[in-house]
């Protein structure tokens, strides 16, 4: 463009005359954002969070975070004269007497589910494309903290109405706290203000839910966006895309128009769900009493995997040094979530240790081009999916007429076998897709033109793929590996002593297995070893990495 658009020039000149910020605005309003649908996944979470803040502010005007005992005298006849907490009474008041209250409650709940779902799919996109690599490790860790806080925010949020369903979940939370050795009882007393359920849990959850965690989320999201802005977006491989540029549309006006429309679309979807799809009908559950529980009760989807692990775990309790360790609660409650979050935190650094790759990466990988990473991701999804499925084993048993005992044992076997099977299948699919890409470049694509040879044979003419498709496929790079396992570098220099010990040999074996070229795009038709392909690629790319 030879001229600055008026939409940018006008506001920039206005602010420059008053604040001296014109150059800053001109530079940043022309920031380029890549054009790829997957980069909008994170915006789903961002816009859902904005809607959560707005609807939550509306709800706080009428909600009473109190465990004070009242007798219901509202318009909902089945609960008239029933004793309940002031929190549950105010939730019913919002649902039946505040104009638009039920709609706002349901938009808020649907937005909470979509917020966590947006975070999950955004993290999966980053993981499968390798966008967590240098220099974005810090942003990856911030995303994990955001995900953990979102889970706690959801737990505190759906506990506030003090209905029978949320109370059952709160009882499970208290049981998990009590199972923690040494400090469990102290944590429970601190949270509930004494014996369960106490009088303080709802006011404390309310403060945590509307003040503490949202404030931290706003701060972390701001830092997350600032780091993204400074480091620039990653982009998928393609024509004209290098480690030193970004190909796409400018922030103003193209991306702003697209982003604004996406915000409206997200709100429309949530409003439509809240209007036509009922969620969390607390009046059907009734007020919480410790002696009752609803049949077929299920937590929100993002906490369902913990429910499944608790249901699947066999009874196991031991006495040690005068303490009773309820392992049937402690292990399923803390084991899966600890495994998931530990893996998320350590993976970027483990991958760098295994591959020895310390370069900066601004172009993403296609998931198929790193089959082991993709297989690990799918195995983790399968791990979560099995737990989520078993979290509803009572409903599955009742509706499918299957023994509850059988569903539990199926889950116990699938817990171990499912991720392993998913890993193997995904790895083979990724390698197969790489080979199909190689065939695409070598043989071309079908043209639809049939040629008849002098011998009478009919063949279809293949033509080279479109330039942008070919560039997208050729963006593949071998997964880096360490030097050869014979104790020497390619140039003959002896490896350090640490690399020749047991840990060093394990690292080199893992590197040769994880990295390298699995299905070359072009060449002499023979697959090179993973090590030689990656070392050649590294030599060819020597000096790259310090970009932008």
């Amino acid at each position: 463009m030879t001229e600055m658009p008026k939409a940018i020039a006008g506001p920039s000149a206005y602010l420059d005359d008053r604040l001296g910020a014109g150059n800053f605005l001109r530079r940043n309003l022309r920031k380029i954002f890549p054009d790829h649908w997957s980069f909008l996944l994170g915006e789903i979470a961002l816009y859902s969070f904005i809607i959560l803040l707005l609807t939550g502010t509306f709800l706080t005007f009428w909600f009473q975070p109190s465990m004070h005992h009242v007798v219901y005298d509202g318009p909902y006849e089945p609960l008239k004269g029933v004793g309940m907490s002031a929190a549950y009474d105010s939730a019913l008041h919002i649902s039946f007497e505040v104009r638009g209250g039920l709609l706002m409650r349901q938009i808020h709940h649907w937005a909470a589910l979509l917020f966590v779902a947006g975070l999950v799919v955004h993290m999966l996109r980053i993981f499968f494309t390798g966008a967590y690599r240098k220099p974005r490790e810090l942003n990856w860790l911030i995303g994990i903290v955001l995900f953990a806080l979102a889970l706690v925010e959801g737990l505190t949020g759906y506990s506030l109405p003090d209905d029978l369903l949320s109370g059952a979940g709160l009882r499970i939370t208290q049981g998990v706290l009590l199972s923690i050795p040494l400090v469990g009882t102290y944590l429970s007393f601190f949270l509930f203000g004494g014996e369960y359920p106490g009088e303080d849990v709802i006011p404390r959850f309310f403060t945590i839910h509307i003040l503490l965690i949202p404030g931290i989320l706003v701060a972390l999201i701001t830092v997350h966006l600032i780091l993204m802005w400074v480091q620039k977006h990653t982009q998928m491989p393609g024509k004209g895309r290098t480690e030193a540029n970004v190909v796409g549309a400018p922030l103003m006006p193209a991306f702003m128009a697209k982003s604004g429309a996406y915000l409206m679309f997200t709100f429309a979807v949530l409003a439509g769900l809240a209007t036509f799809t009922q969620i969390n009908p607390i009046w059907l559950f009734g007020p919480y009493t410790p002696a009752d529980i609803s049949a077929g009760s299920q937590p929100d989807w993002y906490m369902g995997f913990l429910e499944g692990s608790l249901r699947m775990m066999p009874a196991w309790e031991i006495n040690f040094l005068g303490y009773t360790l309820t392992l049937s609660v402690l292990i399923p409650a803390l084991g899966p979530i600890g495994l998931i979050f530990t893996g998320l935190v350590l993976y970027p650094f483990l991958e760098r240790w295994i591959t020895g790759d310390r370069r900066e990466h601004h172009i993403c990988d296609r998931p198929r081009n790193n089959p082991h990473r993709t297989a690990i991701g799918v195995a983790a999804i399968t791990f979560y999916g099995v737990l989520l499925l078993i979290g509803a084993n009572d409903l599955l048993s009742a509706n499918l007429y299957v023994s509850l005992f059988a569903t539990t044992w199926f889950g116990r076997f699938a817990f171990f076998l499912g991720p392993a099977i998913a890993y193997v299948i995904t790895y083979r699919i990724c390698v197969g897709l790489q080979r199909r890409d190689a065939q695409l470049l070598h043989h071309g694509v079908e043209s639809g033109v049939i040629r008849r040879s002098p011998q009478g044979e009919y063949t279809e003419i293949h033509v080279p793929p479109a330039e942008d498709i070919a560039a997208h496929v050729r963006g593949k790079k071998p997964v880096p590996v360490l030097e050869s396992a014979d104790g020497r570098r390619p140039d003959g220099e002896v490896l350090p002593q640490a690399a020749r010990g047991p840990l060093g040999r394990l690292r080199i074996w893992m590197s040769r297995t994880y990295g390298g070229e699995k299905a070359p795009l072009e060449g002499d038709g023979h697959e090179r070893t993973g090590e030689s392909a990656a070392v050649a690629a590294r030599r060819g790319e020597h000096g790259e990495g310090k970009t932008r």
Side-chain angles (χ1 to χ4, degrees):
M1 299 179 66
T2 58
E3 296 182 358
M4 186 68 65
K6 292 183 179 180
I8 298 177
S12 298
Y14 179 87
L15 293 175
D16 190 42
D17 293 339
R18 292 155 180 82
L19 303 175
N23 290 331
F24 174 81
L25 288 176
R26 291 188 191 97
R27 182 175 66 255
N28 286 281
L29 290 177
R30 298 300 295 165
K31 176 180 170 61
I32 302 300
F33 284 78
D35 288 323
H36 195 274
W37 65 268
S38 65
F39 293 100
L40 295 175
L41 294 175
E43 294 188 32
I44 296 175
L46 177 62
Y47 299 149
S48 299
F49 182 68
I50 293 173
I51 295 170
L52 275 172
L53 293 180
L54 296 176
T55 54
T57 302
F58 176 91
L59 295 174
T60 55
F61 292 152
W62 288 277
F63 183 73
Q64 297 181 29
S66 172
M67 295 288 285
H68 178 69
H69 185 78
V70 299
V71 177
Y72 182 71
D73 190 29
Y76 187 64
E77 290 292 336
L79 289 178
K80 273 199 171 183
V82 176
M84 59 187 63
S85 66
Y88 185 66
D89 179 73
S90 65
L92 293 176
H93 174 72
I94 293 172
S95 301
F96 295 118
E97 298 177 73
V98 175
R99 181 168 296 181
L102 181 58
L103 179 64
M104 287 296 177
R105 272 196 61 242
Q106 299 212 142
I107 290 177
H108 190 74
H109 203 125
W110 278 115
L113 299 183
L114 188 61
F115 173 57
V116 182
L119 282 175
V120 170
V121 296
H122 180 57
M123 292 179 68
L124 289 176
R125 196 275 299 178
I126 292 173
F127 179 84
F128 284 124
T129 61
Y132 54 76
R133 294 172 295 180
K134 184 181 178 182
R136 296 174 178 84
E137 301 96 333
L138 180 58
N139 235 2
W140 171 255
L141 297 178
I142 291 174
I144 295 171
V145 176
L146 287 172
F147 179 48
L149 289 174
L151 297 182
V152 179
E153 180 77 342
L155 173 65
T156 57
Y158 72 65
S159 298
L160 289 179
D162 197 34
D163 60 291
L164 189 58
L165 179 63
S166 65
L170 200 58
R171 184 61 162 172
I172 294 174
T173 303
Q174 193 241 2
V176 171
L177 291 177
L178 290 177
S179 70
I180 300 176
L182 301 178
V183 298
T185 53
Y186 297 99
L187 292 176
S188 178
F189 268 64
F190 174 77
L191 181 62
F192 294 96
E195 290 289 349
Y196 177 85
E199 297 290 331
D200 298 331
V201 62
I202 296 299
R204 291 180 179 181
F205 270 26
F206 184 73
T207 303
I208 293 171
H209 183 73
I210 73 162
L211 182 63
L212 181 61
I213 296 180
I216 299 174
L217 287 174
V218 169
L220 289 178
I221 290 174
T222 302
V223 174
H224 187 78
L225 294 176
I226 290 174
L227 285 176
M228 181 274 296
W229 194 279
V230 172
Q231 296 170 344
K232 298 182 174 59
H233 259 298
T234 56
Q235 58 184 344
M236 299 301 292
K239 181 181 179 181
R241 298 169 185 174
T242 69
E243 297 281 1
N245 69 356
V246 178
V247 178
L251 173 66
M252 189 73 180
F255 185 79
M256 288 294 293
K258 182 193 302 182
S259 187
Y262 204 50
L263 170 60
M264 294 296 102
F265 179 76
T266 303
F267 176 74
V269 170
L270 290 174
L273 286 171
T275 303
F276 300 107
T277 307
Q278 179 175 271
I279 189 171
N280 198 26
I282 58 172
W283 53 90
L284 298 181
F285 304 137
Y288 176 66
T289 57
D292 298 330
I293 190 170
S294 298
S297 58
Q298 308 293 323
D300 286 334
W301 71 269
Y302 49 85
M303 300 298 290
F305 73 105
L306 293 179
E307 177 83 6
S309 62
L310 287 166
R311 295 187 182 196
M312 195 169 55
M313 182 72 181
W316 189 11
E317 183 176 289
I318 62 175
N319 294 312
F320 180 72
L321 298 178
Y323 292 94
T324 299
L325 299 180
T326 311
L327 300 180
S328 57
V329 177
L330 182 64
I331 291 177
L334 302 183
I337 197 168
L339 181 63
I340 291 172
F341 278 97
T342 302
L344 289 174
V345 170
L346 295 181
Y347 195 87
F349 308 101
L350 286 175
E351 184 180 72
R352 185 172 63 187
W353 181 76
I354 291 172
T355 62
D357 183 13
R358 298 182 179 274
R359 299 169 298 168
E360 288 189 1
H361 292 273
H362 302 287
I363 293 183
C364 295
D365 292 334
R366 299 173 74 195
R368 67 184 66 181
N369 292 338
N370 194 322
H372 282 291
R373 179 205 293 150
T374 303
I376 291 171
V378 174
I381 294 173
T382 305
F383 171 82
Y384 171 85
V386 169
L387 294 179
L388 181 63
L389 189 68
I390 299 304
N393 67 340
D394 54 342
L395 296 178
L396 294 174
S397 177
N399 289 282
L400 300 179
Y401 302 100
V402 180
S403 167
L404 184 65
F405 182 79
T407 61
T408 302
W409 274 102
F410 168 80
R412 290 172 180 173
F413 281 101
F415 177 81
F416 296 101
L417 297 179
I421 295 173
Y423 182 95
V424 174
I425 294 175
T426 303
Y427 179 84
R428 298 311 307 169
I429 290 175
C430 288
V431 174
L433 290 174
Q434 288 189 46
R435 290 171 178 164
R436 191 181 71 173
D437 288 341
Q439 292 178 354
L440 176 71
L441 295 179
H442 182 68
H443 298 290
V445 297
E446 298 174 350
S447 65
V449 177
I450 306 299
R451 173 181 294 173
R452 182 181 180 184
S453 68
Q455 291 78 24
E457 180 184 7
Y458 291 92
T459 57
E460 184 173 12
I461 298 176
H462 284 66
V463 297
E467 188 176 355
D468 56 341
I469 296 177
H472 186 58
V473 174
R474 292 182 191 279
K476 172 187 176 184
K477 296 179 181 178
V479 181
V481 296
L482 297 171
E483 289 76 6
S484 61
D486 60 0
R488 294 181 178 274
R489 299 181 186 272
D491 57 5
E493 180 183 351
V494 177
L495 286 170
Q497 180 66 31
R500 298 199 297 271
L503 183 61
R505 289 195 295 271
L506 173 64
R507 182 186 179 191
I508 290 176
W509 175 81
M510 293 175 67
S511 183
R512 291 172 62 89
T513 302
Y514 184 88
E517 186 68 272
K518 310 303 179 185
L521 291 179
E522 296 177 303
D524 56 5
H526 300 283
E527 293 187 7
R528 294 188 293 178
T529 64
E531 173 202 347
S532 60
V535 170
R538 178 181 300 173
R539 289 175 174 174
E541 296 169 3
H542 183 69
E544 295 184 4
K546 290 293 181 182
T547 61
R548 314 189 203 196

